[in-house]
Amino acid sequence: MKRKHSIFVNLFPKFLALCFLFFGIVLPFQAQPLSYGPNINLEQAKKVIAAAEAEAKKNQWNMAIAVVDTGGNLVLLQRMDNTQIGSIEIAKGKASTANNFKRSSRALEEAIEKGGIGLRLLAVPGVFPLEGGELILLDGKIIGAIGVSGAQSTQDGQVARAGISALSSK
């Protein structure tokens, strides 16, 4: 038992270094890394979803729209009529991915598109590397994220960005 423990202790720093190297190369940090702020509240989440839904309706797209807080916990979910059921989990996953990686889910999609080391993201459980997940910022801090699913990924991204504009326009 003691031997297994010492192997873990010896390999753990190497594992952390590899993780840092991987995420440092594939997912470069911005000049000034974003930090988490206070959690998005229900009223803010309602504004974000209303703006996103308005964009989806304008384009006649049926969508599921999810908003998560800084811990990746669901704050609000809305599924428009006739939206496929599978879009619920995808919307939540895109929102959590954006929040947990401090960048849009499209950035992870781009890392995979490049191939090579970016393909390792496919092995990370719970990651949704598809456009449609966006950070929600307030005063330069992450307060949560939105995820949208139901149409093509580019359309999901368009609706997500329309949603976050509801808070940034103030």
Side-chain angles (χ1 to χ4, degrees), residues 16-159:
L16 284 177
L18 284 174
C19 287
F20 177 73
L21 177 65
F22 168 69
F23 287 108
I25 292 171
V26 174
L27 305 172
F29 287 102
Q30 299 168 351
Q32 292 189 347
L34 294 172
S35 60
Y36 294 105
N39 283 322
I40 189 169
N41 63 43
L42 183 58
E43 289 307 310
Q44 291 166 323
K46 286 178 180 179
K47 288 178 186 174
V48 169
I49 285 190
E53 183 183 10
E55 180 69 15
K57 282 183 177 179
K58 178 178 90 175
N59 292 288
Q60 299 178 345
W61 298 326
N62 297 323
M63 306 239 165
I65 307 163
V67 172
V68 299
D69 64 16
T70 59
N73 303 302
L74 187 64
V75 175
L76 192 60
L77 173 79
Q78 186 157 313
R79 183 177 62 91
M80 297 169 64
D81 293 339
N82 298 314
T83 302
Q84 60 194 10
I85 300 300
S87 289
I88 295 170
E89 290 304 316
I90 295 169
K92 292 189 310 189
K94 288 178 179 183
S96 292
T97 296
N99 178 72
N100 296 346
F101 285 89
K102 295 184 174 183
R103 59 190 37 87
S104 74
S105 58
R106 172 71 182 141
L108 303 181
E109 181 178 358
E110 290 170 348
I112 290 170
E113 285 173 351
K114 291 178 184 173
I117 198 167
L119 294 175
R120 293 179 183 184
L121 283 168
L122 296 173
V124 181
V127 172
F128 285 72
L130 305 163
E131 186 171 355
E134 296 286 339
L135 293 175
I136 302 171
L137 302 174
L138 190 62
D139 299 328
K141 303 268 188 191
I142 301 168
I143 63 168
I146 182 174
V148 178
S149 178
Q152 295 177 9
S153 287
T154 55
Q155 295 165 332
D156 295 347
Q158 178 181 331
V159 170

